[in-house]
Amino acid sequence: MYVLDSSAFINEYHTEERIASIPMVREELEDESAYRFDALEGSGMHLHVPDAETVERIERAARETGDLAELSRTDVRLVAAAFELDSPLVTDDYAMQNVAEKLDVTVEVIAQDGITEQRDWLFQCAGCGREFDENHDRCPICGSDLSRKNPA
């Protein structure tokens, strides 16, 4: 079974495997892609709602990699669904791919190149230049904005 992100419906992704998604994906779709979701749901696509404990686990992993601020509620739940179903996640979203990689969830990309390595991002203050392992609303030292930085 493959777990489909909204990009799978937008890009008309096809597979012979059984498919699943989450109800929140339907809310992100418009026009033809929304019709594709509805048609696939009507023809047997599994709709999965992940457990709250799994969602919390995914959020912890995303916090550790530095991707949590980049992920929507839907994104977190899609990774959680793929984790619970032990299924590949079909997405082009790099932050989702990074978190999935950390959790050993297989990812299949659609229209983009996939990530080449899993990263634990750093956050750097625009004012004082200090680096932090975790994201904050503002630098705890000088109050300036933080930006995500490649740790390499």
Side-chain angles (χ1 to χ4, degrees), residues 108-132:
E108 184 168 318
V109 295
I110 305 161
Q112 304 289 327
D113 292 333
I115 64 171
T116 57
E117 63 184 14
Q118 192 268 319
R119 293 186 180 161
D120 292 331
W121 296 96
L122 295 175
F123 298 89
Q124 185 170 27
C125 175
C128 67
R130 287 190 173 86
E131 292 181 355
F132 303 93

Tab-separated table of all heavy atoms in Angstrom, residues 108-132:
chain	number	residue	atom	x	y	z
A	108	GLU	N	8.709	7.562	-2.129
A	108	GLU	CA	8.745	7.546	-3.590
A	108	GLU	C	8.390	8.946	-4.060
A	108	GLU	O	7.371	9.501	-3.646
A	108	GLU	CB	7.760	6.526	-4.149
A	108	GLU	CG	7.851	6.420	-5.653
A	108	GLU	CD	7.112	5.225	-6.202
A	108	GLU	OE1	7.201	4.134	-5.620
A	108	GLU	OE2	6.436	5.410	-7.236
A	109	VAL	N	9.241	9.529	-4.898
A	109	VAL	CA	8.988	10.877	-5.401
A	109	VAL	C	8.205	10.813	-6.701
A	109	VAL	O	8.142	9.782	-7.354
A	109	VAL	CB	10.301	11.676	-5.570
A	109	VAL	CG1	10.954	11.920	-4.221
A	109	VAL	CG2	11.255	10.979	-6.508
A	110	ILE	N	7.642	11.974	-7.072
A	110	ILE	CA	6.765	12.020	-8.233
A	110	ILE	C	7.406	12.816	-9.362
A	110	ILE	O	7.820	12.270	-10.370
A	110	ILE	CB	5.405	12.649	-7.861
A	110	ILE	CG1	4.810	11.883	-6.687
A	110	ILE	CG2	4.450	12.668	-9.045
A	110	ILE	CD1	3.757	12.635	-5.949
A	111	ALA	N	7.487	14.132	-9.187
A	111	ALA	CA	7.943	14.998	-10.269
A	111	ALA	C	9.273	15.688	-9.951
A	111	ALA	O	9.822	16.374	-10.788
A	111	ALA	CB	6.878	16.062	-10.568
A	112	GLN	N	9.792	15.524	-8.744
A	112	GLN	CA	11.032	16.175	-8.322
A	112	GLN	C	12.086	15.113	-8.029
A	112	GLN	O	11.771	13.943	-7.876
A	112	GLN	CB	10.795	16.989	-7.034
A	112	GLN	CG	9.702	18.015	-7.126
A	112	GLN	CD	10.080	19.187	-7.997
A	112	GLN	OE1	11.245	19.584	-8.063
A	112	GLN	NE2	9.119	19.741	-8.699
A	113	ASP	N	13.333	15.545	-7.914
A	113	ASP	CA	14.364	14.648	-7.413
A	113	ASP	C	14.166	14.502	-5.914
A	113	ASP	O	13.807	15.457	-5.233
A	113	ASP	CB	15.759	15.228	-7.672
A	113	ASP	CG	16.102	15.270	-9.146
A	113	ASP	OD1	15.556	14.434	-9.902
A	113	ASP	OD2	16.906	16.127	-9.546
A	114	GLY	N	14.393	13.330	-5.394
A	114	GLY	CA	14.280	13.112	-3.962
A	114	GLY	C	15.516	13.624	-3.232
A	114	GLY	O	16.513	14.012	-3.845
A	115	ILE	N	15.461	13.607	-1.905
A	115	ILE	CA	16.617	14.034	-1.134
A	115	ILE	C	17.730	13.005	-1.284
A	115	ILE	O	17.480	11.829	-1.539
A	115	ILE	CB	16.274	14.262	0.360
A	115	ILE	CG1	15.838	12.965	1.047
A	115	ILE	CG2	15.221	15.339	0.510
A	115	ILE	CD1	15.699	13.077	2.555
A	116	THR	N	18.965	13.454	-1.138
A	116	THR	CA	20.106	12.547	-1.264
A	116	THR	C	20.656	12.132	0.089
A	116	THR	O	21.417	11.177	0.175
A	116	THR	CB	21.239	13.207	-2.081
A	116	THR	OG1	21.605	14.434	-1.450
A	116	THR	CG2	20.775	13.471	-3.511
A	117	GLU	N	20.296	12.858	1.148
A	117	GLU	CA	20.748	12.517	2.493
A	117	GLU	C	19.791	13.098	3.519
A	117	GLU	O	19.138	14.112	3.264
A	117	GLU	CB	22.150	13.055	2.753
A	117	GLU	CG	22.221	14.570	2.708
A	117	GLU	CD	23.628	15.122	2.867
A	117	GLU	OE1	24.596	14.363	2.746
A	117	GLU	OE2	23.735	16.330	3.102
A	118	GLN	N	19.717	12.454	4.669
A	118	GLN	CA	18.900	12.965	5.767
A	118	GLN	C	19.713	14.024	6.496
A	118	GLN	O	20.918	13.873	6.682
A	118	GLN	CB	18.528	11.817	6.715
A	118	GLN	CG	17.461	12.165	7.732
A	118	GLN	CD	18.040	12.662	9.041
A	118	GLN	OE1	19.019	12.146	9.540
A	118	GLN	NE2	17.440	13.691	9.579
A	119	ARG	N	19.069	15.146	6.867
A	119	ARG	CA	19.768	16.248	7.538
A	119	ARG	C	19.100	16.608	8.846
A	119	ARG	O	17.884	16.583	8.955
A	119	ARG	CB	19.765	17.498	6.659
A	119	ARG	CG	20.581	17.355	5.421
A	119	ARG	CD	20.667	18.646	4.663
A	119	ARG	NE	21.474	18.432	3.474
A	119	ARG	CZ	21.463	19.218	2.425
A	119	ARG	NH1	20.691	20.277	2.411
A	119	ARG	NH2	22.220	18.955	1.387
A	120	ASP	N	19.925	16.973	9.814
A	120	ASP	CA	19.468	17.594	11.049
A	120	ASP	C	19.881	19.052	10.949
A	120	ASP	O	21.062	19.388	11.087
A	120	ASP	CB	20.093	16.932	12.280
A	120	ASP	CG	19.588	15.518	12.489
A	120	ASP	OD1	18.441	15.229	12.100
A	120	ASP	OD2	20.345	14.705	13.044
A	121	TRP	N	18.915	19.919	10.653
A	121	TRP	CA	19.178	21.325	10.378
A	121	TRP	C	19.654	22.065	11.621
A	121	TRP	O	19.328	21.710	12.740
A	121	TRP	CB	17.916	22.009	9.852
A	121	TRP	CG	17.465	21.469	8.541
A	121	TRP	CD1	16.519	20.514	8.324
A	121	TRP	CD2	17.950	21.839	7.255
A	121	TRP	NE1	16.387	20.270	6.989
A	121	TRP	CE2	17.239	21.068	6.304
A	121	TRP	CE3	18.901	22.749	6.806
A	121	TRP	CZ2	17.467	21.183	4.938
A	121	TRP	CZ3	19.125	22.860	5.438
A	121	TRP	CH2	18.414	22.091	4.521
A	122	LEU	N	20.409	23.131	11.405
A	122	LEU	CA	20.795	24.080	12.445
A	122	LEU	C	20.026	25.363	12.193
A	122	LEU	O	19.537	25.610	11.080
A	122	LEU	CB	22.300	24.372	12.401
A	122	LEU	CG	23.231	23.209	12.725
A	122	LEU	CD1	24.678	23.641	12.518
A	122	LEU	CD2	23.007	22.732	14.146
A	123	PHE	N	19.940	26.199	13.199
A	123	PHE	CA	19.261	27.488	13.071
A	123	PHE	C	20.235	28.570	13.498
A	123	PHE	O	20.836	28.497	14.569
A	123	PHE	CB	17.986	27.502	13.919
A	123	PHE	CG	17.016	26.465	13.452
A	123	PHE	CD1	17.053	25.176	13.949
A	123	PHE	CD2	16.107	26.763	12.450
A	123	PHE	CE1	16.192	24.196	13.486
A	123	PHE	CE2	15.245	25.790	11.973
A	123	PHE	CZ	15.282	24.514	12.495
A	124	GLN	N	20.384	29.581	12.628
A	124	GLN	CA	21.360	30.632	12.877
A	124	GLN	C	20.670	31.976	13.036
A	124	GLN	O	19.752	32.316	12.282
A	124	GLN	CB	22.373	30.711	11.737
A	124	GLN	CG	23.482	31.694	12.007
A	124	GLN	CD	24.596	31.582	11.003
A	124	GLN	OE1	24.384	31.177	9.868
A	124	GLN	NE2	25.798	31.952	11.409
A	125	CYS	N	21.134	32.723	14.014
A	125	CYS	CA	20.582	34.051	14.284
A	125	CYS	C	21.082	35.036	13.239
A	125	CYS	O	22.279	35.092	12.945
A	125	CYS	CB	20.997	34.506	15.686
A	125	CYS	SG	20.469	36.191	16.049
A	126	ALA	N	20.162	35.824	12.708
A	126	ALA	CA	20.522	36.837	11.711
A	126	ALA	C	21.252	38.007	12.357
A	126	ALA	O	21.985	38.729	11.687
A	126	ALA	CB	19.270	37.339	11.001
A	127	GLY	N	21.079	38.189	13.661
A	127	GLY	CA	21.719	39.309	14.357
A	127	GLY	C	23.091	38.971	14.900
A	127	GLY	O	24.096	39.509	14.458
A	128	CYS	N	23.153	38.064	15.864
A	128	CYS	CA	24.417	37.773	16.545
A	128	CYS	C	25.181	36.596	15.932
A	128	CYS	O	26.334	36.361	16.274
A	128	CYS	CB	24.182	37.528	18.037
A	128	CYS	SG	23.244	36.026	18.424
A	129	GLY	N	24.538	35.853	15.029
A	129	GLY	CA	25.217	34.765	14.327
A	129	GLY	C	25.310	33.457	15.091
A	129	GLY	O	25.851	32.485	14.583
A	130	ARG	N	24.792	33.405	16.304
A	130	ARG	CA	24.846	32.160	17.073
A	130	ARG	C	24.011	31.076	16.391
A	130	ARG	O	23.032	31.374	15.732
A	130	ARG	CB	24.351	32.394	18.487
A	130	ARG	CG	25.345	33.176	19.326
A	130	ARG	CD	24.908	33.172	20.781
A	130	ARG	NE	25.902	33.762	21.641
A	130	ARG	CZ	26.001	35.061	21.902
A	130	ARG	NH1	25.164	35.910	21.356
A	130	ARG	NH2	26.942	35.507	22.712
A	131	GLU	N	24.424	29.829	16.603
A	131	GLU	CA	23.706	28.699	16.032
A	131	GLU	C	23.025	27.911	17.135
A	131	GLU	O	23.538	27.799	18.248
A	131	GLU	CB	24.673	27.789	15.273
A	131	GLU	CG	25.242	28.427	14.036
A	131	GLU	CD	26.176	27.508	13.269
A	131	GLU	OE1	26.462	26.386	13.745
A	131	GLU	OE2	26.619	27.911	12.189
A	132	PHE	N	21.855	27.344	16.780
A	132	PHE	CA	21.067	26.565	17.717
A	132	PHE	C	20.637	25.275	17.050
A	132	PHE	O	20.398	25.237	15.844
A	132	PHE	CB	19.816	27.351	18.161
A	132	PHE	CG	20.148	28.682	18.769
A	132	PHE	CD1	20.185	29.832	17.979
A	132	PHE	CD2	20.432	28.788	20.116
A	132	PHE	CE1	20.500	31.061	18.537
A	132	PHE	CE2	20.747	30.010	20.676
A	132	PHE	CZ	20.776	31.149	19.892
